[in-house]
């Protein structure tokens, strides 16, 4: 997990570190990390003797970082140029830069250099940015490495100015900051990483924790064992899918195909008779599940205590249900079980508020979250949700006693105890009909697999594990979106086709 702190917390720790180690030492450390990130970016494309790194330099310490980094790049043999973007400039860093042989030009004289640059380092503004500055226009296609924070983004609120400098990568210092992950943040930072500079955050409570793909891989690995190879399909896990209607026949097919392509032990589907043929054709691996069999599975699960001997190990409820005629009775029965469940789309209209023995994940987008909150007696607009997503997701988690995943460009995952995780950096093209159904299939599969949940015998899945697996599903989904977008436009069907390859990257 990568802890995330507010800018105010970063400022507190920064001032302690300055007192301990000195301003210049910290800036040079930041610059070394920035220079090696620049080298890594340059290495991705063949270098020529004309390869040029142009630094856009602002008035404060962010500009200082940029100048020190350029000086280090010059020592490594790169051609460098600094463009002064504001009246003020960091004097000590400029002296260091000039000593390394660097040239400084006003921004107005740097247009040709910008057009020819192999890489642009954006060191105009960092966490000291106040919205409304005059920011330069960069040539189309410029490769930009942002120093700490893209200029034009408020690292506290996540709000970006229209002319924010869009980064291909952002290297942020000290710690991950909230504004990089909320609002416009994920749309403008590009690939995001942290250089911790050994800042000591032990006296600060993190605002939330970021789950990136490496963290997701570690979380998924937590309970895997060599013994997994000996399991038969029922031991591996059976997912029960209650979905679909004549009105929306596609969603159940998408979720079913997604779960199958994840490698689920067995998928059993409860869909209306009218679309059963369609679902069976879309995913011939599935076995139908009628009301009687569901009741039998629920009662056998109770007899054998949760988990052991149960015929269904997890549930996915909701994709494509017709909210006018959902199978309310059978879903209410499933809600009394202790097998974990993911509930999406129209299924969300049926989830009861209050305490429950069943570990649940609700996966609303913002409008569905508003509906969930209304049902719980809380009136809120989607605009209010956008301004403070974690707060409103927390309300729903508490009211429904469930883990809640708020979907969008950034996914926020909150448990009933208020703890939260964040997942971001999926492809924007994931915003396409049916991609949420694919996510439900992925999460349903993860909840069904005993080697992933780590549940055996008498245990049920804890909310903290539910939260981790929800973050893993969102992370796999984001990765899936990115690899699919690499070779063309994205549709839910194309996502499903790439799912086996994506799962492999996560150790499946
Ligand atoms: N202090 C430290 O120990 C460290 C700081 N670091 C760097 O320092 C940065 C923060 O430095 P600063 O506090 O100097 O802040 P910045 O470098 O982000 O910029 C602050 C300056 O920009 C001006 N400014 C902000 N918004 C403006 C606007 N809209 N129009 C015109 N001028 C505007 C301010 O008046 C101020 O002069 C971090 O982002 C990071 O890059 C790193 O070197 C790590 C260590
Ligand atoms: N701009 C975006 N960038 C990245 N991911 C997005 C973006 N917009 C939506 N998503 C993701 O796409 C999925 C859409 O889900 P949902 O709205 O339920 O779609 P549907 O109901 O059509 O299946 C969610 O996983 C969400 O996190």
């Amino acid at each position: 997990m990568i802890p995330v702190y507010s800018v105010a917390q970063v400022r507190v720790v920064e001032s302690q570190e300055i007192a301990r180690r000195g301003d210049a030492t910290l800036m040079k450390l930041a610059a070394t990390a920035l220079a090696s990130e620049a080298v890594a970016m340059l290495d991705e494309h063949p270098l020529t003797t004309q390869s040029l790194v142009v630094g856009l330099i602002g008035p404060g310490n962010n500009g200082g970082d940029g100048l020190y980094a350029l000086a280090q790049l010059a020592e490594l043999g790169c051609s460098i140029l600094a463009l002064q973007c504001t009246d003020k400039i960091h004097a000590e860093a400029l002296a260091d830069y000039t000593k390394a042989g660097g040239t400084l030009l006003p921004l107005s004289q740097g247009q040709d250099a910008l057009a020819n640059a192999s890489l642009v380092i954006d060191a105009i503004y960092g966490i000291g940015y106040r919205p409304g500055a005059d920011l330069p226009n960069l040539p189309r296609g410029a490769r930009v490495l942002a120093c700490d924070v893209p200029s034009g983004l408020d690292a506290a609120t996540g709000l970006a100015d229209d002319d924010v400098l869009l980064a291909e990568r952002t290297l942020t210092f000290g710690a991950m900051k909230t504004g990089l992950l909320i609002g416009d943040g994920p749309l403008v930072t590009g690939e995001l990483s942290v250089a911790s500079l050994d800042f000591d955050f032990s006296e600060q409570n993190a605002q939330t924790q970021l789950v990136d793909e490496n963290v997701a891989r570690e979380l998924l690995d937590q309970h895997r064992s060599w013994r997994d190879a000996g399991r038969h399909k029922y031991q591996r896990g059976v997912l029960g899918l209650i979905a679909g209607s004549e009105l929306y026949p596609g969603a159940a097919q998408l979720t079913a195909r997604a779960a199958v392509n994840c490698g689920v032990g067995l998928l059993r589907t409860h869909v209306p008779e009218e679309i059963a043929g369609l679902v069976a054709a879309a995913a011939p691996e599935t076995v139908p599940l009628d009301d009687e069999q569901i009741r039998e599975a629920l009662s056998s699960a109770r007899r054998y205590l949760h988990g052991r001997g149960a015929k269904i190990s997890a549930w996915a409820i909701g994709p494509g249900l017709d909210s006018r005629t959902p199978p309310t009775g059978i879903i209410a029965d499933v809600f009394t079980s202790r097998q974990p469940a993911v509930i999406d789309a129209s299924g969300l209209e049926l989830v009861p508020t209050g305490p429950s023995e069943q570990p649940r994940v609700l996966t609303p987008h913002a409008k569905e979250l508003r509906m969930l909150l209304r049902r719980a007696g809380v009136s809120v607009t989607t605009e209010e949700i956008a301004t403070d997503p974690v707060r409103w997701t927390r309300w729903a988690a508490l009211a429904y006693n469930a883990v809640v995943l708020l979907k969008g460009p950034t996914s926020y995952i909150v448990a009933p105890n208020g703890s939260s995780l964040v997942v971001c950096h999926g492809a924007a093209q994931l915003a396409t009909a049916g991609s949420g159904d694919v996510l439900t299939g992925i999460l349903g599969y993860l909840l069904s697999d005993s080697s992933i949940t780590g549940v055996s015998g008498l245990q049920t899945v804890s909310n903290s594990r539910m939260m981790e697996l929800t973050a893993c599903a969102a992370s796999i989904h984001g990765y899936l979106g990115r690899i699919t977008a690499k070779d063309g436009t994205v549709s839910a069907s194309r996502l499903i086709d790439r799912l086996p390859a994506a799962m492999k990257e996560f150790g499946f």
Side-chain angles (χ1 to χ4, degrees):
M1 307 271 181
I2 300 162
V4 183
Y5 297 94
S6 68
V7 167
Q9 288 176 304
V10 171
R11 286 286 195 198
V12 168
V13 174
E14 206 174 56
S15 61
Q16 290 163 352
E17 297 294 338
I18 291 172
R20 193 159 67 90
R21 294 188 273 172
D23 215 347
T25 312
L26 288 181
M27 286 180 72
K28 283 183 185 165
L29 270 179
T32 304
L34 190 65
S36 68
E37 193 77 3
V39 168
M41 283 180 81
L42 289 169
D43 280 350
E44 288 163 10
H45 292 252
L47 287 184
T48 67
T49 43
Q50 277 99 44
S51 292
L52 172 68
V53 180
V54 175
L56 297 171
I57 307 300
N61 290 338
N62 194 255
D65 292 345
L67 286 168
Y68 281 125
L70 287 175
Q72 292 188 24
L73 286 167
E75 277 159 27
L76 294 173
C78 294
S79 306
I80 51 152
L81 176 67
L83 297 177
Q84 184 169 353
C85 301
T86 53
D87 292 346
K88 279 198 302 180
I89 196 157
H90 194 286
E92 293 83 10
L94 179 59
D96 198 272
Y97 172 75
T98 314
K99 212 166 118 203
T103 309
L104 179 72
L105 292 179
L107 176 65
S108 56
Q109 290 176 28
Q111 294 315 309
D112 286 350
L114 279 173
N116 294 319
S118 312
L119 184 69
V120 177
I121 294 183
D122 162 17
I124 310 180
Y125 300 107
I127 57 175
Y129 184 66
R130 300 183 310 272
D134 212 5
L135 294 165
N137 280 326
L138 296 187
R140 219 181 160 72
R143 301 188 69 204
V144 179
L145 168 61
C147 168
D148 199 26
V149 177
S151 298
L153 175 70
D154 183 329
T157 62
L159 291 178
D161 292 356
D162 288 345
D163 49 0
V164 61
L165 271 66
L166 296 179
E168 180 178 321
R169 284 200 206 176
T170 297
L171 181 68
T172 200
F173 304 127
M176 190 61 81
K177 297 151 189 115
T178 40
L180 299 171
L181 303 176
I182 59 171
D184 301 320
L187 310 182
V188 304
T189 59
E191 205 177 301
L192 185 55
S193 48
V194 186
S196 80
L197 313 181
D198 288 328
F199 276 30
D200 179 4
F201 277 87
S202 57
E203 286 171 17
Q204 305 291 329
N205 290 323
Q207 304 289 314
T208 185
Q209 305 278 339
L210 174 70
V211 174
D212 67 7
E213 276 150 22
N214 290 328
V215 174
R217 283 187 191 93
E218 281 168 26
L219 291 171
L220 289 166
D221 259 349
Q222 257 172 23
H223 301 287
R224 285 181 173 133
S225 138
W226 59 270
R227 291 188 194 281
D228 297 342
R231 298 178 301 166
H232 56 61
K233 64 183 178 231
Y234 300 108
Q235 289 170 326
R236 182 173 181 151
V238 183
L239 177 65
L241 171 64
I242 303 180
S245 59
E246 255 191 300
L247 190 62
Y248 307 115
Q253 297 175 56
L254 292 171
T255 305
R257 285 182 55 215
V260 165
N261 275 10
C262 284
V264 67
L266 175 63
L267 175 69
R268 303 210 54 185
T269 43
H270 181 286
V271 298
E273 232 173 272
E274 298 80 2
I275 66 159
L278 284 174
V279 173
E285 297 86 349
T286 68
V287 175
L289 183 64
D290 63 25
D291 284 12
E292 196 46 45
Q293 289 165 328
I294 289 183
R295 295 211 170 90
E296 198 190 305
L298 294 175
S299 94
S300 102
R302 274 179 220 114
R303 270 203 313 278
Y304 287 97
L305 295 170
H306 11 279
R308 210 149 45 114
K311 289 185 180 142
I312 305 286
S313 28
W315 297 95
I317 301 170
L321 290 180
D322 181 347
S323 55
R324 294 165 310 181
T325 55
T328 319
I330 203 70
I331 290 177
D333 287 347
V334 171
F335 284 153
T336 65
S337 84
R338 299 185 66 159
Q339 277 70 49
V342 46
I343 297 137
D344 185 31
S346 300
L348 296 169
E349 295 172 34
L350 306 173
V351 199
T353 52
S356 110
E357 291 213 315
Q358 181 177 52
R360 286 183 197 138
V361 182
L362 315 184
T363 58
H365 50 60
K367 266 173 94 177
E368 289 165 337
L369 179 63
R370 184 185 62 181
M371 176 276 294
L372 281 170
L373 289 169
R374 282 219 175 122
R375 284 186 55 220
V378 181
S379 184
V380 61
T381 62
T382 44
E383 289 73 28
E384 285 169 316
I385 290 173
T387 316
D388 202 348
V390 175
R391 173 171 180 231
W392 295 110
T393 310
R394 194 168 277 143
W395 271 83
L398 200 64
Y400 288 87
N401 192 31
V403 170
V404 179
L405 161 66
L406 174 61
K407 295 185 287 197
T410 303
S411 295
Y412 305 97
I413 300 144
V414 184
N417 70 1
S419 57
S420 65
L421 300 175
V422 183
V423 177
C424 56
H425 295 283
Q429 293 164 332
L430 278 174
T432 180
S435 105
D437 304 324
V438 177
L439 177 69
T440 304
I442 299 171
L443 181 53
Y445 159 64
L446 294 181
L447 298 181
S448 76
D449 189 327
S450 56
S451 76
I452 299 300
T453 57
V455 162
S456 63
L458 304 181
Q459 304 159 329
T460 188
V461 186
S462 67
N463 269 336
S464 86
R465 189 63 181 158
M466 292 291 281
M467 191 161 79
E468 288 173 359
L469 295 183
T470 305
C472 291
S475 187
I476 293 171
H477 192 242
Y479 174 78
L480 180 64
R482 288 210 311 283
I483 59 167
T484 308
K486 262 193 188 150
D487 55 33
T489 45
V490 171
S491 66
S493 295
R494 285 201 68 228
L495 289 174
I496 293 167
D497 291 342
R498 303 297 298 264
L499 200 38
M503 295 301 283
K504 188 160 184 277
E505 288 302 311
F506 286 82
F508 291 91

